[in-house]
C-alpha cells in the first residue's frame, strides 16, 4: 500500500473537521468551574477529543486543561508524541470574512486557527487515522497531546506534565510552526512593566490584544488642552507613512487612533507596531502632563520603533538562532495605573537573567517596575539527531525541496514542553505566514502535502 496516496482519501473529512473546530471561538476567558481557561477553550478541547474518539482512538480529558488521543499498544517509555493546541489568540479587527465561520472562498478557508493550530493538529490526527485504517503495524504507541492554553501561558502543559506527572514521549513533534524542521527555538521572556499613580490620570491609552502579537491599533484619549499640539503635528507625522495616525474631537476629549499591522510577536519585523507608533508621534509634542511625559520619554529613549532591543541593551545574537527580537504587545495606561508588556525572543545560548536585568535597569530610571509575566527556556535539538534527520528526509522526499535545512525560530511551540521534541510544519515555504493576523487563511490544496508529510512522519517514527 502506498500510504501517501491512501491518506488523501481523508482530505474532505479533514476540511469538515477543521471547519467545525474553527467555528468554536476558543480565546482564553475568565475561568469557570471545571473550565480553567473559560468556555471556549474547554468546548474546543472536547470537540477535538470527540473527533479522536469518533475516529476510533482512545481519548482522555484532563480537567479541561489538556487531553490526549492514543493509538497503539507500545510502552509509554517509547511512545511517539504529537503536540497540538486548540486555543487561539483574539481575532482583532479588519477581517474580510467572519473569523469564526471557517468560510471557504475559491479554495481558501478563512478563520482564526486554521493555521495556528487547529488545522495542522486535525491534519495530523487524520494521518494517524489513515495508518490505523491501512492495517500497517506500529511498534510504538502514538499519543496526540492537545492543550487548551498554548497562546496565553501554557497552564495546560504545566498541569498535564507538571501536576499530573504524565509521561513524556520518547520523541515528539508539534505541527505548530513551519517546514522543514525547527531544531532550535529562542528563549521567550514576557515582561510586565507597571507603575501606580497617586491620582486619577486625565488621559488614557489602550492598545494590543496579547503580549505575543504586534498590535495593529492603539487608541489614546487626551484632554482638550492637548488639541493644538496634536492637530499641529499630525500632518507632519503622517507624511510618507503607510500606517497613519488620526485625531478627532469627541465628547470634550481628543481621540487619537494609531493604526498598524498585526504580526506574530516572534516576527515583529513583519508587522507595524501601533503602540510604538503612537509614542513616536507623542514624542513630537510639547507635553505638560508629567505622568505622560515620563512614559513618552521612556519609550523614545529605550524602544522607539525598533524590534532588536538595542536601545535597551539587549540586542544579543548567536550562530544557531540569530538575533533577539522585541515586541511591545499590549498596553493599558488609565485610571491610576500604567501597564504594558514586552515579548522578548532571545538567542538559545543566552540566559533569561541576562535579558531581564537589562530591562529592569532601564525601567527603574523612570520609576517603572519590571516583573516576569511568563518565561520559557530555549530549545535546542542537534541537527544530526535521529529525530531531526528522519523528519528532514521525509520533508525532502515529499516536497522535492532537497536543499532544505533545519531552521531556528523565535516562536515558542510545545516542542519545548518535553525532551527530544521539535516543531515540524505545518506552514510550507510557499504559504503566507499570517498567524495571529487578520484573515488567517489556509489554501486547501496545501492539505495534500500536509497529509503526505504527516502520515509518513508518524509511520517512520513509530513503525
Amino acid at each position: 500500500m502506498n500510504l501517501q496516496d491512501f491518506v488523501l482519501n481523508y482530505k474532505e473529512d479533514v476540511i469538515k473537521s477543521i471547519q467545525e473546530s474553527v467555528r468554536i471561538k476558543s480565546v482564553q476567558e475568565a475561568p469557570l468551574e471545571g473550565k480553567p481557561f473559560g468556555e471556549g477553550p474547554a468546548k474546543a478541547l472536547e470537540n477535538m477529543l470527540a473527533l479522536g474518539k469518533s475516529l476510533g482512538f482512545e481519548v482522555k480529558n484532563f480537567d479541561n486543561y489538556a487531553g490526549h488521543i492514543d493509538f497503539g499498544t507500545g510502552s509509554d517509555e517509547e511512545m511517539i508524541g504529537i503536540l497540538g493546541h486548540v486555543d487561539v489568540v483574539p481575532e482583532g479587527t479588519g477581517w474580510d470574512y467572519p473569523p469564526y465561520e471557517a468560510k471557504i472562498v475559491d479554495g481558501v478557508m478563512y478563520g482564526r486557527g486554521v493555521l495556528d493550530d487547529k488545522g495542522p493538529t486535525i491534519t495530523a490526527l487524520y494521518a494517524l487515522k489513515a495508518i490505523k485504517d491501512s492495517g500497517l503495524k506500529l511498534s510504538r504507541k502514538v499519543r496526540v497531546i492537545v492543550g487548551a492554553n498554548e497562546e496565553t501561558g501554557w497552564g495546560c502543559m504545566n498541569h498535564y506534565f507538571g501536576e499530573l506527572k504524565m509521561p513524556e514521549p520518547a520523541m515528539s513533534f508539534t505541527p505548530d510552526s513551519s517546514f522543514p524542521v525547527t531544531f532550535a527555538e529562542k528563549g521567550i521572556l514576557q515582561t510586565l512593566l507597571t507603575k501606580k499613580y497617586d491620582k486619577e490620570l486625565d488621559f488614557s491609552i489602550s492598545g494590543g490584544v496579547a503580549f505575543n502579537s504586534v498590535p495593529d491599533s492603539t487608541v489614546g484619549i487626551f484632554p482638550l488642552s492637548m488639541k493644538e499640539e496634536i492637530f499641529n503635528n499630525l500632518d507632519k507625522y503622517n507624511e510618507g507613512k503607510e500606517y497613519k495616525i488620526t485625531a478627532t474631537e469627541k465628547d470634550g476629549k481628543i481621540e487619537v487612533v494609531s493604526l498598524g499591522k498585526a504580526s506574530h510577536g516572534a516576527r515583529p519585523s513583519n508587522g507595524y507596531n501601533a503602540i510604538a507608533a503612537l509614542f513616536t508621534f507623542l514624542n513630537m509634542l510639547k507635553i505638560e502632563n508629567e505622568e505622560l511625559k515620563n512614559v513618552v520619554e521612556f519609550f523614545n529613549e529605550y524602544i522607539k520603533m525598533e524590534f532588536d532591543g538595542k536601545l535597551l541593551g539587549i540586542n544579543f545574537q548567536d550562530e544557531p538562532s540569530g538575533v533577539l527580537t522585541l515586541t511591545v504587545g499590549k498596553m493599558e495606561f488609565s485610571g491610576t495605573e500604567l501597564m504594558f508588556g514586552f515579548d522578548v525572543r532571545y538567542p538559545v545560548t543566552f540566559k533569561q537573567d541576562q535579558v531581564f536585568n537589562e530591562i529592569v535597569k532601564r525601567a527603574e530610571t523612570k520609576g517603572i517596575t519590571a516583573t516576569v509575566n511568563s518565561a520559557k527556556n530555549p530549545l535546542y535539538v542537534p541537527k544530526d539527531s535521529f529525530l531531526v534527520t528522519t523528519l528532514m528526509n521525509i520533508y525532502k522526499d515529499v516536497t522535492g525541496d532537497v536543499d532544505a535545512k533545519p531552521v531556528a525560530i523565535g516562536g515558542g511551540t510545545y516542542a519545548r514542553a518535553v525532551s527530544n521534541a521539535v516543531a515540524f510544519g505545518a506552514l510550507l515555504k510557499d504559504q503566507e505566514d499570517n498567524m495571529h493576523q487578520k484573515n488567517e487563511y489556509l489554501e486547501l490544496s496545501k492539505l495534500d502535502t500536509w497529509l503526505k508529510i504527516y502520515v509518513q512522519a508518524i509511520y517512520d517514527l513509530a513503525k
Side-chain angles (χ1 to χ4, degrees):
M1 173 183 289
N2 186 316
L3 196 54
Q4 290 181 28
D5 288 340
F6 181 68
V7 75
L8 297 182
N9 293 320
Y10 298 86
K11 181 177 176 180
E12 291 304 314
D13 291 332
V14 171
I15 293 170
K16 292 176 183 177
S17 294
I18 294 173
Q19 286 184 300
E20 185 178 329
S21 183
V22 169
R23 287 168 182 158
I24 301 170
K25 182 177 179 179
S26 50
V27 176
Q28 181 176 348
E29 300 171 337
L32 301 171
E33 184 176 354
K35 300 173 181 179
F37 312 118
E39 184 72 34
K43 187 176 179 182
L45 179 60
E46 285 285 7
N47 172 264
M48 188 69 74
L49 297 178
L51 174 61
K53 187 174 182 179
S54 74
L55 297 180
F57 302 121
E58 295 182 10
V59 307
K60 188 169 183 180
N61 187 332
F62 296 88
D63 312 309
N64 279 323
Y65 281 85
H68 67 221
I69 301 167
D70 281 353
F71 173 60
T73 57
S75 68
D76 288 347
E77 291 75 19
E78 294 189 347
M79 71 179 168
I80 304 303
I82 303 168
L83 289 80
H85 67 90
V86 293
D87 61 310
V88 296
V89 298
E91 63 275 15
T93 59
W95 287 67
D96 294 332
Y97 305 101
Y100 301 110
E101 190 174 298
K103 186 178 181 66
I104 297 174
V105 181
D106 296 329
V108 177
M109 185 190 300
Y110 294 86
R112 178 60 85 226
V114 295
L115 294 178
D116 185 14
D117 182 42
K118 294 175 177 180
T121 301
I122 288 169
T123 303
L125 187 58
Y126 273 96
L128 185 61
K129 165 71 169 172
I131 294 172
K132 175 179 177 293
D133 291 351
S134 73
L136 293 170
K137 301 300 180 184
L138 302 180
S139 62
R140 292 178 168 179
K141 177 193 292 185
V142 179
R143 172 167 288 172
V144 181
I145 302 168
V146 185
N149 178 231
E150 193 269 354
E151 297 289 4
T152 49
W154 287 31
C156 48
M157 292 297 104
N158 294 337
H159 184 77
Y160 184 84
F161 290 113
E163 294 180 35
L164 300 181
K165 309 296 183 186
M166 296 301 296
E168 289 191 9
M171 292 182 287
S172 304
F173 69 82
T174 177
D176 191 22
S177 183
S178 58
F179 289 115
V181 176
T182 300
F183 76 99
E185 296 181 9
K186 295 175 184 175
I188 302 177
L189 173 63
Q190 292 189 344
T191 305
L192 185 66
L193 283 80
T194 58
K195 187 173 183 177
K196 291 187 178 295
Y197 300 94
D198 296 330
K199 62 180 181 179
E200 189 91 7
L201 301 169
D202 66 351
F203 63 90
S204 67
I205 300 174
S206 179
V209 295
F211 276 54
N212 62 349
S213 292
V214 175
D216 62 1
S217 67
T218 301
V219 178
I221 306 295
F222 301 103
L224 279 176
S225 59
M226 294 181 63
K227 177 179 178 179
E228 186 176 349
E229 277 292 306
I230 290 171
F231 282 96
N232 285 349
N233 286 279
L234 207 54
D235 288 343
K236 181 180 177 181
Y237 173 83
N238 283 330
E239 186 177 0
K241 289 185 172 63
E242 179 180 0
Y243 300 99
K244 311 290 186 181
I245 289 178
T246 60
T248 308
E249 185 174 341
K250 183 184 298 185
D251 300 326
K253 300 280 188 178
I254 306 298
E255 180 183 78
V256 178
V257 178
S258 171
L259 298 179
K261 179 185 177 183
S263 176
H264 195 295
R267 296 171 287 278
S269 60
N270 291 348
Y272 188 88
N273 196 307
I275 293 175
L278 177 59
F279 277 90
T280 300
F281 170 67
L282 292 175
N283 194 50
M284 297 172 63
L285 313 184
K286 181 180 180 182
I287 298 175
E288 302 294 341
N289 184 293
E290 287 300 320
E291 291 85 1
L292 179 58
K293 182 179 180 180
N294 187 61
V295 179
V296 170
E297 289 176 347
F298 173 77
F299 255 81
N300 287 281
E301 184 174 351
Y302 295 121
I303 305 170
K304 291 187 176 179
M305 293 293 292
E306 306 302 321
F307 39 78
D308 61 1
K310 182 177 181 180
L311 297 174
L312 281 166
I314 56 173
N315 55 322
F316 306 132
Q317 60 181 299
D318 64 16
E319 188 279 326
S321 57
V323 300
L324 177 146
T325 61
L326 167 71
T327 298
V328 182
K330 195 170 184 178
M331 180 171 197
E332 294 293 335
F333 197 1
S334 62
T336 59
E337 289 186 305
L338 161 70
M339 181 286 289
F340 59 96
F342 287 167
D343 182 280
V344 180
R345 312 293 169 116
Y346 60 91
V348 297
T349 59
F350 288 82
K351 302 294 185 184
Q352 174 188 317
D353 285 350
Q354 292 175 270
V355 179
F356 181 64
N357 291 341
E358 294 299 323
I359 295 175
V360 170
K361 191 187 305 180
R362 272 69 177 186
E364 286 177 343
T365 66
K366 299 297 181 181
I368 297 171
T369 300
T371 56
V372 175
N373 183 66
S374 67
K376 298 180 183 70
N377 291 326
L379 172 142
Y380 175 69
V381 178
K383 294 180 184 179
D384 60 357
S385 67
F386 172 78
L387 179 60
V388 173
T389 55
T390 298
L391 295 181
M392 280 298 305
N393 287 336
I394 292 165
Y395 169 80
K396 290 178 180 180
D397 288 345
V398 172
T399 65
D401 184 12
V402 295
D403 296 323
K405 298 184 185 304
V407 298
I409 64 168
T413 74
Y414 275 156
R416 66 181 83 203
V418 293
S419 303
N420 198 27
V422 296
F424 186 50
L427 206 66
L428 294 159
K429 286 187 175 181
D430 60 351
Q431 285 183 267
E432 180 186 6
D433 179 4
N434 67 343
M435 300 180 195
H436 293 207
Q437 299 179 42
K438 66 181 180 182
N439 294 326
E440 182 178 345
Y441 71 90
L442 167 62
E443 299 159 280
L444 299 182
S445 61
K446 304 302 181 188
L447 287 173
D448 296 52
T449 304
W450 285 13
L451 284 164
K452 289 179 179 181
I453 290 174
Y454 286 133
V455 77
Q456 199 65 53
I458 296 168
Y459 181 71
D460 284 4
L461 292 176
K463 65 184 178 181

